[in-house]
Amino acid sequence: MWRGRRVQPALPEQGAPSAFGRRELGFAERLVRSIRAGGPISLANYMAQVNTHYYATRNPLGADGDFITAPEISQMFGELIGLCLADLWQRAGHARAPYYVELGPGRGTLAKDALRAMEQARLAPQAHFVENSPSLRAHQSTSVAHAHFHDDVESLPTDKPLLIVANEFFDALPIAQSIRAEDGWREVMVGLSEEEAKLAPHTGERRVDARVPEAMCHAPTGSIHESCPVGATIMLTLARRIMRQGGAMLAIDYGYEGPALGDTLQAVRAHQYADPYADVGENDLTAHVDFTLLANAARQEGLAVYGPVEQGAFLERLGIGPRAQALARAQPERMVELETARQRLVAPTEMGRLFKVLCATHPDWPRPEGFA
């Protein structure tokens, strides 16, 4: 199952006995105790802590993990991303190879396929990965042997243009939620449930009216507005780099064009939707991406912005149909598998409509392929 929808509950795990006979507290219990002692924390703080623990302690991708992403469905996805960037680079008229940068590259599958396709197009950029998880770094090193790792975008190289890919990266960043109360907008916090047995969302005391767009400030009581300050900051930082160094960025994720109202926080475990406040640290927490926020951040720094367009339309324009046919001719026994994968990536009822693609480029660069 790929990430993108939602639902139901379970209960937090307890710690296990330590080698000294005392029970060692697990992540969930430590967090519960911290909240019991210090009071509720913001949803953004909760999501940051949970996802940091989650990604640091496992490989969540694939059939044996919690979810699957587009590059894991088919090599065609990464190949087309690589060719799209190589084509853009060639039409920009630059002689020196750029850097290939991927944010949160999973197991390195997309990068491996994209770099292979780029090489066939006579472009061999050095790979740079922004990744904090030791577990995932190990997988990425196997997929792309000489990749350079970074803890954050600030340490990316500054001497060449950047070709940046962020596939299902922004959805895992911490979000802030505001809820409309009788007297205005208040921050959504995470505290203990009434039984104090598990965590649950609460309406906080702090007023956050300034966070909500003016057009939505008089929404009905109970309405939820989401924002992702961390995502906006990362986009601004990378946009400044692209303006100085040249380059382009593709952001691919499930999301919407804001501003909008609604609670999109969700949890996934073992390819099933779960309760975001249960089994703390054992579920993947994500939220839908506001592409308008990302686009505005890029434009603010002077970049040209294209899209967002639906993933299905984007891949069809890049030639996923002919690519699937070519692979099927070379390996006829894979024909059904390839067509099934293509449908998962492009069909409106699968990933084709919910997932969207945004491209931001240096203003002197040409229009990228895949955007009408």
Side-chain angles (χ1 to χ4, degrees):
M1 154 179 184
W2 43 268
R3 301 184 286 186
R5 295 183 180 128
R6 180 194 216 110
V7 296
Q8 308 298 348
L11 290 172
E13 286 183 7
Q14 301 301 313
S18 74
F20 302 101
R22 248 194 340 244
R23 187 165 62 83
E24 216 173 277
L25 298 183
F27 170 77
E29 196 167 358
R30 291 198 307 272
L31 184 57
V32 168
R33 287 194 176 192
S34 172
I35 290 173
R36 183 175 287 121
I41 59 176
S42 70
L43 176 61
N45 184 349
Y46 171 73
M47 194 171 173
Q49 289 193 58
V50 170
N51 275 353
T52 297
H53 170 81
Y54 175 82
Y55 283 101
T57 54
R58 76 208 65 221
N59 166 23
L61 290 145
D64 296 329
D66 290 327
F67 58 87
I68 191 166
T69 59
E72 306 289 337
I73 291 172
S74 173
Q75 68 186 73
M76 296 183 287
F77 184 83
E79 289 171 346
L80 292 174
I81 295 299
L83 291 174
C84 175
L85 292 173
D87 170 74
L88 185 58
W89 169 254
Q90 289 167 351
R91 288 189 291 118
H94 293 273
R96 288 201 312 162
Y99 294 114
Y100 173 88
V101 175
E102 193 167 336
L103 311 182
R107 295 196 291 198
T109 306
L110 192 160
K112 180 180 179 181
D113 293 336
L115 290 167
R116 183 181 65 252
M118 286 179 167
E119 191 172 2
Q120 292 171 354
R122 299 183 180 180
L123 175 63
Q126 189 182 82
H128 288 259
F129 294 161
V130 178
E131 178 60 72
N132 291 313
S133 167
S135 172
L136 289 174
R137 281 190 178 192
H139 285 279
Q140 293 155 13
S141 295
T142 301
S143 296
V144 182
H146 302 293
H148 298 260
F149 290 98
H150 302 264
D151 292 329
D152 53 51
V153 298
E154 300 285 354
S155 63
L156 290 170
T158 60
D159 58 328
K160 294 180 184 178
L162 305 174
L163 299 179
I164 305 169
V165 178
N167 180 61
E168 293 200 51
F169 169 78
F170 285 101
D171 65 83
L173 297 179
I175 60 163
Q177 283 188 345
S178 307
I179 185 167
R180 181 73 160 89
E182 295 291 345
D183 59 349
W185 290 88
R186 295 184 179 273
E187 185 164 23
V188 173
M189 308 291 284
V190 178
L192 298 178
S193 64
E194 289 183 6
E195 306 80 22
E196 295 209 351
K198 58 172 284 189
L199 299 178
H202 295 270
T203 299
E205 296 180 3
R206 189 159 73 96
R207 291 281 295 272
V208 289
D209 300 75
R211 275 189 196 163
V212 181
E214 190 175 346
M216 296 177 169
C217 66
H218 298 298
T221 301
S223 298
I224 297 285
H225 176 262
E226 296 180 344
S227 59
C228 186
V230 176
T233 299
I234 290 172
M235 192 68 179
L236 284 167
T237 301
L238 293 173
R240 290 189 197 110
R241 287 296 201 88
I242 290 172
M243 275 300 290
R244 288 200 302 266
Q245 298 170 231
M249 176 173 175
L250 283 172
I252 308 153
D253 229 311
Y254 54 88
Y256 58 94
E257 294 182 65
L261 295 173
D263 175 9
T264 73
L265 178 67
Q266 64 185 31
V268 171
R269 186 179 185 187
H271 302 271
Q272 300 292 325
Y273 293 104
D275 181 349
Y277 302 101
D279 291 328
V280 180
E282 301 302 315
N283 298 329
D284 170 50
L285 297 185
T286 65
H288 288 215
V289 174
D290 181 354
F291 280 94
T292 300
L293 178 74
L294 299 182
N296 287 344
R299 289 191 184 99
Q300 183 176 321
E301 295 301 318
L303 299 192
V305 175
Y306 304 91
V309 297
E310 294 178 356
Q311 177 178 289
F314 176 72
L315 294 175
E316 294 285 15
R317 291 179 190 129
L318 292 182
I320 192 171
R323 179 57 180 153
Q325 291 169 4
L327 289 171
R329 282 196 297 273
Q331 299 173 285
E333 71 280 4
R334 295 184 61 205
M335 184 179 296
V336 174
E337 171 203 334
L338 289 163
E339 179 56 23
T340 300
R342 188 186 74 82
Q343 285 296 325
R344 287 187 72 181
L345 293 171
V346 306
T349 53
E350 297 282 346
M351 300 177 77
R353 179 169 293 158
L354 179 61
F355 282 72
K356 297 178 177 61
V357 186
L358 180 80
C359 187
T361 72
H362 188 281
D364 294 339
W365 280 41
R367 184 185 191 89
E369 291 295 333
F371 297 86

